[in-house]
Amino acid sequence: MQVKEIGEFNLIKRMANILGIPRRSVIAGIGDDVAVLYSPERKLLLVTTDMLVENVHFSISTATPYQIGWKSLAVNISDIASMGGEPTYAFVSIGLPRNTNVEFVDEFYTGMRDVATKYDVDIVGGDTVSSPEIIINISLLGEVEKENYILRSGAKYGDAICITGDVGGSSAGLEILQQKFSIEGTKKHLMPEPRVQEGRLLARSGFVTSMIDVSDGVSSEIYHICEQSKTGAYIYMKDIPLSPNVLSVAQHTNKNPYDFALYGGEDYELLFTCRPDKFQFLKDQVLRMCNMPITQIGKILDVSSLITIEDESGKTIPLESKGYDHFAL
Ligand code: ADP
Ligand code: MG
């Protein structure tokens, strides 16, 4: 069955049915002209939005509608996590070709519902239009205590540069899908897990000076932190924690495994800086409370030291700033 056969209003009803009743109490959710929500008291309101276009951000040849739904919302949740916040309400605007199968929309909403449930998000509104290609825009609200938000701009000379989990796995996973390698490890690409609990813990510790989520690649995120904080950085390539699938994909494609981590992106780990004497404490806490390893991969230097990386042979070279850029040729 195609969406043109059931029409916009029936389609919205199906979406609302899949999403179910919001967990938070709302005055009005899906079904009225606007969502009417309680505003967080004595907290800061966080707002983020992301747009996804078919064949730019996702392809129905490599991801199921369920996975596309999961990832679309997960990447927004990751942005809230990178501020040290908690996600709350989401709005989903979707453009669909008239001949889109209703099953696609059902599965897409089921994927979004499941990631929303896991990370305590309520989807309370949106818009539905027809469009020549599938296009999805998600806006997500979140909240954070006034004293706990973390920006990109707080890194200081001498801070440790750290990362949660492992990196490179998403872009290695994309290679596996595109080149049809029979290698395990596409989950990080298809269904990323935003580090909300980790971000909350790090932000509330009081020892984290800057934070960002890894959407465009470790290199690009380090450049963002350094630019905003007006610092330089020194990275140890061998200390970057590579995802389990990276080595075999690098072998199959004849690439340097660290390129997946540095320039690949979409890992949705948290990259952050902290005072060096607090690293071990944070590492122990995040491991104990979230079962998540964190690794130090470098240190913040002053701005005149530029941004450099020590490669595997011990040679210091400038870190290339390339990462995913929509307008780059
Ligand atoms: P309006 O004509 O006021 O724009 P709509 O008919 O577009 O209202 O939407 C009706 C209700 O359904 C609104 O509450 C809106 O937020 C919600 N809604 C519409 N599209 C979506 C969607 N894709 N996902 C979630 N909620 C939606
Ligand atoms: Mg509308």
Side-chain angles (χ1 to χ4, degrees), residues 89-106:
Y89 299 106
F91 295 83
V92 181
S93 296
I94 183 163
L96 298 169
R98 290 164 47 76
N99 63 358
T100 305
N101 285 323
V102 173
E103 290 70 32
F104 173 92
V105 183
D106 286 353

mmCIF file of all heavy atoms in Angstrom, residues 89-106:
data_model
loop_
_atom_site.group_PDB
_atom_site.id
_atom_site.type_symbol
_atom_site.label_atom_id
_atom_site.label_comp_id
_atom_site.label_asym_id
_atom_site.label_seq_id
_atom_site.Cartn_x
_atom_site.Cartn_y
_atom_site.Cartn_z
ATOM 1 N N TYR A 89 11.901 16.056 24.279
ATOM 2 C CA TYR A 89 10.829 16.008 23.273
ATOM 3 C C TYR A 89 11.394 16.125 21.865
ATOM 4 O O TYR A 89 12.292 16.923 21.624
ATOM 5 C CB TYR A 89 9.864 17.172 23.486
ATOM 6 C CG TYR A 89 9.185 17.164 24.828
ATOM 7 C CD1 TYR A 89 9.564 18.061 25.826
ATOM 8 C CD2 TYR A 89 8.158 16.262 25.089
ATOM 9 C CE1 TYR A 89 8.929 18.067 27.055
ATOM 10 C CE2 TYR A 89 7.516 16.260 26.316
ATOM 11 C CZ TYR A 89 7.903 17.166 27.302
ATOM 12 O OH TYR A 89 7.282 17.170 28.513
ATOM 13 N N ALA A 90 10.806 15.363 20.933
ATOM 14 C CA ALA A 90 11.252 15.439 19.537
ATOM 15 C C ALA A 90 10.090 15.792 18.611
ATOM 16 O O ALA A 90 8.926 15.472 18.894
ATOM 17 C CB ALA A 90 11.865 14.111 19.122
ATOM 18 N N PHE A 91 10.418 16.449 17.505
ATOM 19 C CA PHE A 91 9.472 16.769 16.433
ATOM 20 C C PHE A 91 10.053 16.211 15.138
ATOM 21 O O PHE A 91 11.243 16.375 14.878
ATOM 22 C CB PHE A 91 9.294 18.288 16.318
ATOM 23 C CG PHE A 91 8.663 18.866 17.545
ATOM 24 C CD1 PHE A 91 9.446 19.173 18.658
ATOM 25 C CD2 PHE A 91 7.297 19.052 17.613
ATOM 26 C CE1 PHE A 91 8.864 19.675 19.818
ATOM 27 C CE2 PHE A 91 6.708 19.546 18.765
ATOM 28 C CZ PHE A 91 7.485 19.856 19.865
ATOM 29 N N VAL A 92 9.210 15.556 14.365
ATOM 30 C CA VAL A 92 9.696 14.858 13.178
ATOM 31 C C VAL A 92 8.945 15.346 11.950
ATOM 32 O O VAL A 92 7.745 15.095 11.810
ATOM 33 C CB VAL A 92 9.470 13.335 13.315
ATOM 34 C CG1 VAL A 92 9.993 12.618 12.087
ATOM 35 C CG2 VAL A 92 10.139 12.812 14.585
ATOM 36 N N SER A 93 9.638 16.048 11.063
ATOM 37 C CA SER A 93 9.017 16.464 9.808
ATOM 38 C C SER A 93 9.557 15.592 8.702
ATOM 39 O O SER A 93 10.757 15.339 8.623
ATOM 40 C CB SER A 93 9.323 17.929 9.534
ATOM 41 O OG SER A 93 8.722 18.707 10.541
ATOM 42 N N ILE A 94 8.641 15.131 7.853
ATOM 43 C CA ILE A 94 9.031 14.128 6.893
ATOM 44 C C ILE A 94 8.414 14.442 5.525
ATOM 45 O O ILE A 94 7.237 14.773 5.420
ATOM 46 C CB ILE A 94 8.653 12.726 7.447
ATOM 47 C CG1 ILE A 94 9.094 11.609 6.525
ATOM 48 C CG2 ILE A 94 7.183 12.596 7.778
ATOM 49 C CD1 ILE A 94 9.107 10.250 7.224
ATOM 50 N N GLY A 95 9.264 14.415 4.495
ATOM 51 C CA GLY A 95 8.794 14.574 3.124
ATOM 52 C C GLY A 95 8.883 13.223 2.433
ATOM 53 O O GLY A 95 9.927 12.571 2.494
ATOM 54 N N LEU A 96 7.793 12.790 1.808
ATOM 55 C CA LEU A 96 7.754 11.451 1.204
ATOM 56 C C LEU A 96 7.224 11.529 -0.222
ATOM 57 O O LEU A 96 6.234 12.223 -0.479
ATOM 58 C CB LEU A 96 6.799 10.553 2.004
ATOM 59 C CG LEU A 96 7.141 10.272 3.456
ATOM 60 C CD1 LEU A 96 5.941 9.610 4.134
ATOM 61 C CD2 LEU A 96 8.365 9.363 3.545
ATOM 62 N N PRO A 97 7.836 10.783 -1.147
ATOM 63 C CA PRO A 97 7.228 10.635 -2.468
ATOM 64 C C PRO A 97 5.850 9.992 -2.319
ATOM 65 O O PRO A 97 5.640 9.164 -1.419
ATOM 66 C CB PRO A 97 8.199 9.692 -3.201
ATOM 67 C CG PRO A 97 9.497 9.834 -2.475
ATOM 68 C CD PRO A 97 9.132 10.095 -1.046
ATOM 69 N N ARG A 98 4.920 10.349 -3.206
ATOM 70 C CA ARG A 98 3.544 9.852 -3.097
ATOM 71 C C ARG A 98 3.443 8.329 -3.188
ATOM 72 O O ARG A 98 2.516 7.724 -2.675
ATOM 73 C CB ARG A 98 2.677 10.486 -4.186
ATOM 74 C CG ARG A 98 2.413 11.974 -3.954
ATOM 75 C CD ARG A 98 1.892 12.675 -5.209
ATOM 76 N NE ARG A 98 0.818 11.920 -5.867
ATOM 77 C CZ ARG A 98 -0.432 11.855 -5.432
ATOM 78 N NH1 ARG A 98 -0.774 12.503 -4.332
ATOM 79 N NH2 ARG A 98 -1.332 11.158 -6.072
ATOM 80 N N ASN A 99 4.449 7.730 -3.853
ATOM 81 C CA ASN A 99 4.390 6.265 -4.007
ATOM 82 C C ASN A 99 5.171 5.504 -2.922
ATOM 83 O O ASN A 99 5.411 4.311 -3.048
ATOM 84 C CB ASN A 99 4.883 5.857 -5.394
ATOM 85 C CG ASN A 99 6.342 6.218 -5.610
ATOM 86 O OD1 ASN A 99 6.975 6.811 -4.736
ATOM 87 N ND2 ASN A 99 6.888 5.877 -6.764
ATOM 88 N N THR A 100 5.568 6.205 -1.856
ATOM 89 C CA THR A 100 6.254 5.515 -0.747
ATOM 90 C C THR A 100 5.321 4.470 -0.129
ATOM 91 O O THR A 100 4.128 4.734 0.067
ATOM 92 C CB THR A 100 6.631 6.533 0.355
ATOM 93 O OG1 THR A 100 7.393 7.568 -0.252
ATOM 94 C CG2 THR A 100 7.454 5.879 1.464
ATOM 95 N N ASN A 101 5.881 3.317 0.184
ATOM 96 C CA ASN A 101 5.063 2.298 0.851
ATOM 97 C C ASN A 101 4.772 2.701 2.289
ATOM 98 O O ASN A 101 5.660 3.170 2.998
ATOM 99 C CB ASN A 101 5.785 0.951 0.854
ATOM 100 C CG ASN A 101 5.735 0.307 -0.512
ATOM 101 O OD1 ASN A 101 4.725 0.404 -1.214
ATOM 102 N ND2 ASN A 101 6.828 -0.315 -0.906
ATOM 103 N N VAL A 102 3.536 2.481 2.686
ATOM 104 C CA VAL A 102 3.139 2.767 4.069
ATOM 105 C C VAL A 102 4.002 1.955 5.042
ATOM 106 O O VAL A 102 4.348 2.426 6.120
ATOM 107 C CB VAL A 102 1.631 2.463 4.253
ATOM 108 C CG1 VAL A 102 1.233 2.588 5.709
ATOM 109 C CG2 VAL A 102 0.810 3.403 3.390
ATOM 110 N N GLU A 103 4.378 0.751 4.628
ATOM 111 C CA GLU A 103 5.222 -0.105 5.484
ATOM 112 C C GLU A 103 6.556 0.578 5.783
ATOM 113 O O GLU A 103 7.112 0.424 6.869
ATOM 114 C CB GLU A 103 5.492 -1.465 4.830
ATOM 115 C CG GLU A 103 4.284 -2.383 4.757
ATOM 116 C CD GLU A 103 3.214 -1.913 3.775
ATOM 117 O OE1 GLU A 103 3.579 -1.290 2.734
ATOM 118 O OE2 GLU A 103 2.025 -2.133 4.055
ATOM 119 N N PHE A 104 7.071 1.327 4.802
ATOM 120 C CA PHE A 104 8.311 2.070 5.050
ATOM 121 C C PHE A 104 8.103 3.042 6.212
ATOM 122 O O PHE A 104 8.917 3.108 7.138
ATOM 123 C CB PHE A 104 8.744 2.846 3.791
ATOM 124 C CG PHE A 104 9.928 3.754 4.028
ATOM 125 C CD1 PHE A 104 11.224 3.295 3.812
ATOM 126 C CD2 PHE A 104 9.760 5.052 4.517
ATOM 127 C CE1 PHE A 104 12.319 4.113 4.063
ATOM 128 C CE2 PHE A 104 10.852 5.874 4.772
ATOM 129 C CZ PHE A 104 12.135 5.402 4.538
ATOM 130 N N VAL A 105 7.015 3.770 6.166
ATOM 131 C CA VAL A 105 6.741 4.765 7.206
ATOM 132 C C VAL A 105 6.525 4.068 8.561
ATOM 133 O O VAL A 105 7.052 4.493 9.587
ATOM 134 C CB VAL A 105 5.514 5.628 6.833
ATOM 135 C CG1 VAL A 105 5.277 6.708 7.880
ATOM 136 C CG2 VAL A 105 5.717 6.261 5.458
ATOM 137 N N ASP A 106 5.790 2.955 8.539
ATOM 138 C CA ASP A 106 5.549 2.201 9.780
ATOM 139 C C ASP A 106 6.864 1.766 10.417
ATOM 140 O O ASP A 106 7.085 1.950 11.614
ATOM 141 C CB ASP A 106 4.728 0.930 9.490
ATOM 142 C CG ASP A 106 3.266 1.246 9.216
ATOM 143 O OD1 ASP A 106 2.867 2.414 9.381
ATOM 144 O OD2 ASP A 106 2.539 0.311 8.829
#
